[in-house]
Amino acid sequence: MSSLALAVVLSLVSAVAYAAGAIMQEHVAASTSARPYAPLHHAAWWVAVALNSLGAVLHVMALAYGPLSLVQPLGALTIVFALPMAALFVRRRAGAAAWRGAITATAGLAGLLALTGEADAHSLGGGQRGVLAGVTLGGVALIFLVAQTVHRPILRSVGLAAAAGVAFGIASVFTKTVAVDWTWSAPLSQCPSLLVISVLAIGGLLLSQASYRGAGLAAPLATVTVVNPVVAAAVGITMFGETFRYGVPGTVLALGFGVVAAGGLILLTTERLKAARTEAEAHAQAEGSVPPAQQPVCRSEPRMLHADAQAQVLPSDRDAARSEVGEGIDVGPVSRPCTHLEMEMRP
């Protein structure tokens, strides 16, 4: 098998592992609402951690055998694999709008990354690493705080997923830097960068776990899938000297693909908002509806009840301080204020 074919296989398996990990994370988020960030007691969450770790290792191996312009777009297939896998294994089917949004976001991301040209191996100096780490941690913290002020679950989840994508993207940048500068003669010199990678990777995992709470699978996963490589590519262009292919036309086309990817994310978000609103309305109707036989009757005049062909009137005492159980009239809870309540007494 050639190196290029091996890179393709590793990338596809990596995307499947990431998709399976995301499905497990969403399942844990749906069943464990008390601990949205780190449900350590849940065995399925550790399975998700293992799957995400496997996906990361396979992705790094694919980069060792194939070019970045090929491996990164294939990694965007995670969201495409996740939807049918979720429908098959956990019976969570996605609607047509979710499929359109996922495919649109993936197509835009794949086109954007395909236009990113390769550059020579570059690294970051100590000062640049410190600035990048500080800006990243501050930016992730800011996005996290803003997301906490949002009341709609889907918008909060997208914000948390965006923060996770930023953390994962910059972790990839530091991983590339460590790979370029690594020397077995002085491994301890990379300890600060390895520490930053660990903090960003763990933080991204916890944020991505929380992003699935109350938002389903498609929107948070698509947000992480798009934001992660876009942030990494932006750093590569601004700090590593990477460029888009085909000059100015390629740059314009790349911006167009970026708009397409953003449109897919917006479609996913609005689709989930509509679904959440529909679910809330259905839930409210289910809780608010009372069978007619159980509804109290508010009337301003006594009601004539006929039993054994004899008319009988049982007016309730307007000034009664409590339920008139002793008189054979038991007034239960009333759904709305009543000036005069009449109860039907049947023999």
Side-chain angles (χ1 to χ4, degrees), residues 54-260:
L54 176 61
V57 171
L58 292 173
H59 184 73
V60 173
M61 293 175 61
L63 287 173
Y65 288 100
L68 181 66
S69 59
L70 173 68
V71 174
Q72 287 291 83
L74 290 176
L77 294 175
T78 298
I79 181 63
V80 178
F81 289 151
L83 295 183
M85 288 172 63
L88 179 62
F89 294 110
V90 296
R91 299 294 187 269
R92 291 184 181 272
R93 300 186 180 275
W99 272 103
R100 288 195 298 270
I103 294 176
T104 301
T106 303
L109 176 60
L112 177 63
L113 295 176
L115 289 171
T116 302
E118 296 184 60
D120 297 333
H122 291 284
S123 180
L124 297 175
Q128 290 178 312
R129 296 187 195 189
V131 171
L132 181 60
V135 171
T136 301
L137 294 175
V140 170
L142 179 61
I143 298 173
F144 171 78
L145 293 176
V146 171
Q148 297 306 306
T149 63
V150 179
H151 298 291
R152 290 192 176 185
I154 178 61
L155 297 180
R156 180 173 61 251
S157 296
V158 169
L160 293 174
V166 173
F168 287 139
I170 301 301
S172 299
V173 172
F174 274 90
T175 301
K176 180 178 180 180
T177 301
V178 170
V180 171
D181 291 345
W182 182 268
T183 56
W184 290 104
S185 59
L188 296 180
S189 62
Q190 301 299 323
C191 284
S193 295
L194 292 174
L195 178 61
V196 173
I197 293 172
S198 300
V199 171
L200 292 176
I202 294 174
L205 177 65
L206 300 181
L207 289 169
S208 65
Q209 176 63 55
S211 69
Y212 291 108
R213 184 183 180 186
L217 175 67
L221 179 57
T223 302
V224 173
T225 304
V226 170
V227 173
N228 177 357
V230 167
V231 168
V235 174
I237 291 172
T238 57
M239 304 185 73
F240 288 155
E242 298 179 356
T243 59
F244 290 112
R245 297 178 179 179
Y246 313 119
V248 175
T251 302
V252 174
L253 189 58
L255 293 176
F257 278 119
V259 172
V260 171

Side-chain angles (χ1 to χ4, degrees), residues 11-12 95 103 221 264 309 314 321 336:
S11 297
L12 294 178
I103 294 176
L221 179 57
L314 293 176
R336 62 184 185 277

Side-chain angles (χ1 to χ4, degrees), residues 306-335:
H306 298 274
D308 298 332
Q310 294 182 356
Q312 183 182 13
V313 180
L314 293 176
S316 60
D317 187 356
R318 298 174 184 266
D319 301 322
R322 58 182 178 81
S323 301
E324 298 179 71
V325 180
E327 303 295 332
I329 302 176
D330 187 6
V331 181
V334 182
S335 60

